[in-house]
Amino acid sequence: LYPNSVCLLTARSKKEPESSRYIWGAFMVRDDFEGAKCQDGIIRAHDKYQIFLSEQEARTLLFWTNFEPSSNNAERKWGSVEFKYFPNTTMARILCDIYLLKQNTDQKKLCEQFINYFCELNKIDKKLLILSHQKD
């Protein structure tokens, strides 16, 4: 992990199918975090860019809706690893989804700042991101 990474927090109960995995939060990795030098396994969160969803919000934001299955009959699997890596553009779209959920909350401005910061660090054109997200 690098300082321009976002950690996306997901969950599902053991009794639920993988398709029920939901997003319950996201945070930017701290500016000074160096994954290669991390000895304790703890990923330090950025002081400002942390967003957590209420249980009601989280249950509406399913993780797997952001990904196409590899084939029509493919079952989505998390597997036995703790981490999944995916394109920054996908993360930016997820941050937009979180922003839309937080429209009528006191976290709206923080969500917008988070998206701006993430897109700036990762050289993602926010205008194109918004246009592509509106088509969905």
Side-chain angles (χ1 to χ4, degrees):
L1 289 174
Y2 298 95
N4 62 343
S5 299
V6 171
C7 290
L8 187 65
L9 307 170
T10 70
R12 71 170 177 89
S13 75
K14 289 183 179 185
K15 295 178 182 177
E16 293 177 317
E18 184 59 37
S19 60
S20 296
R21 182 175 295 280
Y22 58 91
I23 297 167
W24 62 270
F27 65 88
M28 236 19 230
V29 173
R30 260 179 51 168
D31 295 352
D32 61 352
F33 181 81
E34 292 184 49
K37 294 181 180 179
C38 181
Q39 297 295 314
D40 60 7
I42 297 173
I43 301 168
R44 308 272 187 246
H46 192 283
D47 292 337
K48 180 177 181 179
Y49 300 112
Q50 305 174 31
I51 301 171
F52 300 97
L53 284 67
S54 69
E55 186 172 345
Q56 183 179 0
E57 291 169 332
R59 292 294 182 162
T60 67
L61 195 55
L62 297 177
F63 175 76
W64 291 109
T65 59
N66 296 285
F67 304 93
E68 293 293 323
S70 55
S71 72
N72 290 339
N73 297 327
E75 181 182 338
R76 294 172 172 139
K77 294 181 183 178
W78 189 264
S80 60
V81 297
E82 294 179 3
F83 302 104
K84 293 285 184 205
Y85 296 94
F86 51 85
N88 286 335
T89 53
T90 301
M91 187 65 234
R93 287 196 316 271
I94 292 170
L95 290 174
C96 283
D97 289 341
I98 293 172
Y99 171 76
L100 292 173
L101 276 175
K102 296 292 190 177
Q103 281 296 294
N104 298 316
T105 72
D106 59 347
Q107 291 185 312
K108 176 184 176 181
K109 186 172 182 162
L110 172 62
C111 290
E112 185 174 13
Q113 293 169 344
F114 195 155
I115 293 168
N116 289 339
Y117 183 69
F118 180 77
C119 288
E120 182 181 323
L121 283 178
N122 292 287
K123 300 182 180 14
I124 296 171
D125 185 339
K126 189 176 167 202
K127 292 176 189 171
L128 292 176
L129 171 67
I130 292 168
L131 287 174
S132 70
H133 198 64
Q134 289 173 343
K135 292 178 185 177
D136 293 343

